[in-house]
């Protein structure tokens, strides 16, 4: 993700906040005095500014936020550097880590100008609501809540009774039972090809595969994978590439369709997908 841009905006914001509270210059003081002594009564200049300023965080609140950020980054790195079954055991040992992860994840997402899950939701709304969806790595199941379709929400931990808790390389879904398989920022494990293979199994012939992933993971100039190599590998698995959308600043969107018939292919040349690590703030 482009943390640099976020950093610049924050610095600018901080500078602007500072401007609001900085002590007035001699010229400003002189103008204020002149205004005060004129016959027209001016409103007190400081009250509106004071009202709009957020309450500063206490030391304890700042410490808690820092610790929460540290925990999130640790769990996030773990999920990107282990396999799906290891991740499942990790959360089984301590399910509270999942809430910790998602609090941090939502915090990161709130900085993105656009959320990929909303684009996928819009795509689904533009297609018949009779399409059955499998949301692989659904998080808080926002997708299922936002559309009329029947959605199988899958994640490592079930935060909601509707979520199927499992490693998504091995789901309880029936073979050829869904019309759309969604991976929204969820190709995290080192064995991500197994997740795509599972999606291929559960998809009906000509079913859709929608992938939204962090852009930096597909930036070959920055250690990321070559998107063409990745798409070729997905096609080898038994899909046809329908469209690619690189227009968003933070993520890419890839749309595939399952081939109606295909021979099982082995020895696919999958590129490595680098972890998306978030910087300390
Ligand atoms: N799709 C959601 C959440 C993305 S966060 C959204 O866009 O808001 C990525 C999610 O993928 C996390 O909730 C994580 O637990 C899940 N995930 C990662 N690996 C998984 C696996 N092997 N099996 C099931 N879920 C997985």
């Amino acid at each position: 993700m482009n943390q640099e841009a976020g950093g610049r905006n924050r610095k600018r914001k901080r500078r602007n906040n500072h401007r609001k509270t900085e002590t007035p210059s001699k010229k400003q003081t002189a103008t204020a005095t002149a205004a005060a002594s004129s016959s027209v009564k001016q409103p007190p200049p400081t009250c509106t500014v004071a009202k709009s300023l957020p309450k500063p965080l206490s030391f304890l609140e700042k410490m808690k936020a820092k610790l929460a950020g540290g925990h999130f980054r640790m769990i996030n790195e773990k999920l990107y550097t282990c396999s799906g079954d290891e991740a499942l055991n990790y959360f089984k040992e301590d399910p509270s880590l999942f809430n910790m992860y998602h609090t941090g994840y939502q915090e990161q997402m709130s900085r993105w100008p656009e959320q990929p899950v909303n684009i996928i939701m819009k795509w689904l709304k533009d297609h018949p609501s009779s399409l059955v969806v499998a949301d692989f790595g659904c998080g808080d199941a926002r997708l299922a809540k936002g559309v009329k379709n029947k959605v199988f929400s899958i994640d490592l931990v079930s935060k909601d009774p509707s979520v199927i808790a499992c490693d998504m390389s091995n789901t309880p879904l029936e073979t050829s039972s869904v019309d759309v398989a969604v991976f929204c920022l969820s190709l995290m494990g080192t064995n991500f090809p197994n997740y795509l293979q599972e999606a291929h199994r559960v998809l009906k012939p000509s079913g859709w595969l929608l992938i939204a992933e962090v852009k930096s993971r597909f930036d070959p100039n920055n250690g990321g994978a070559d998107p063409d190599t990745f798409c070729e590998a997905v096609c080898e698995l038994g899909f046809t590439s329908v469209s690619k959308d690189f227009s968003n600043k933070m993520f890419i969107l890839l749309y595939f369709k399952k081939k109606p018939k295909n021979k099982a292919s082995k020895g696919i040349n999958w590129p490595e997908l680098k972890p998306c690590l978030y910087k300390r703030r």
Side-chain angles (χ1 to χ4, degrees), residues 10-25:
R10 262 192 317 287
K11 274 185 199 147
R12 210 172 295 141
K13 252 191 220 158
R14 256 184 247 137
R15 270 206 303 276
N16 289 341
N17 282 344
H18 178 63
R19 267 190 211 121
K20 276 187 199 166
T21 52
E22 68 196 1
T23 42
S25 66

Side-chain angles (χ1 to χ4, degrees), residues 51-208:
K51 253 188 200 166
S52 65
L53 280 177
K55 198 173 158 250
L57 293 179
S58 70
F59 175 72
L60 199 63
E61 283 168 327
K62 277 186 201 159
M63 285 301 287
K64 277 186 185 165
K66 269 203 169 156
L67 281 173
H71 284 146
F72 162 72
R73 282 189 299 278
M74 218 176 74
I75 305 165
N76 182 61
E77 184 166 350
K78 171 78 184 162
L79 294 178
Y80 275 115
T81 52
C82 74
S83 63
D85 56 347
E86 272 180 84
L88 186 66
N89 288 331
Y90 179 66
F91 284 133
K92 262 189 192 156
E93 271 175 32
D94 188 352
S96 71
L97 295 178
F98 191 76
N99 286 341
M100 222 176 255
Y101 175 75
H102 273 281
T103 307
Y105 174 79
Q106 294 307 338
E107 217 270 314
Q108 290 289 338
M109 282 297 114
S110 66
R111 302 167 197 269
W112 287 27
E114 189 144 36
Q115 308 260 326
V117 70
N118 291 337
I119 302 206
I120 293 174
M121 234 179 250
K122 184 173 179 312
W123 186 95
L124 284 170
K125 284 178 183 166
D126 291 342
H127 287 78
S129 58
S130 56
L131 295 181
V132 177
V133 182
D135 184 9
F136 287 82
C138 63
D140 57 7
R142 180 126 50 108
L143 188 63
K145 289 172 196 151
V147 295
K148 289 190 186 141
N149 307 55
K150 158 93 192 132
V151 180
F152 292 105
S153 301
I154 298 154
D155 210 301
L156 294 162
V157 174
S158 172
K159 277 183 78 177
D160 186 290
S162 67
V163 175
I164 305 168
C166 65
D167 167 19
M168 60 190 171
S169 63
N170 186 16
T171 72
L173 303 186
E174 302 266 314
T175 299
S176 302
S177 60
V178 309
D179 301 287
V180 187
V182 173
F183 289 87
C184 187
L185 308 182
S186 58
L187 289 179
M188 301 182 86
T190 48
N191 62 327
F192 72 88
N194 298 141
Y195 309 154
L196 296 171
Q197 188 137 28
E198 178 66 355
H200 185 268
R201 180 185 72 79
V202 304
L203 274 171
K204 295 176 188 171
S206 302
W208 287 93

Side-chain angles (χ1 to χ4, degrees), residues 238-256:
F239 291 94
T240 308
S241 171
V242 178
S243 64
K244 302 171 193 173
D245 180 356
F246 290 87
S247 63
N248 200 283
K249 197 170 139 198
M250 310 302 277
F251 55 87
I252 64 166
L253 279 157
L254 305 171
Y255 301 81
F256 299 90

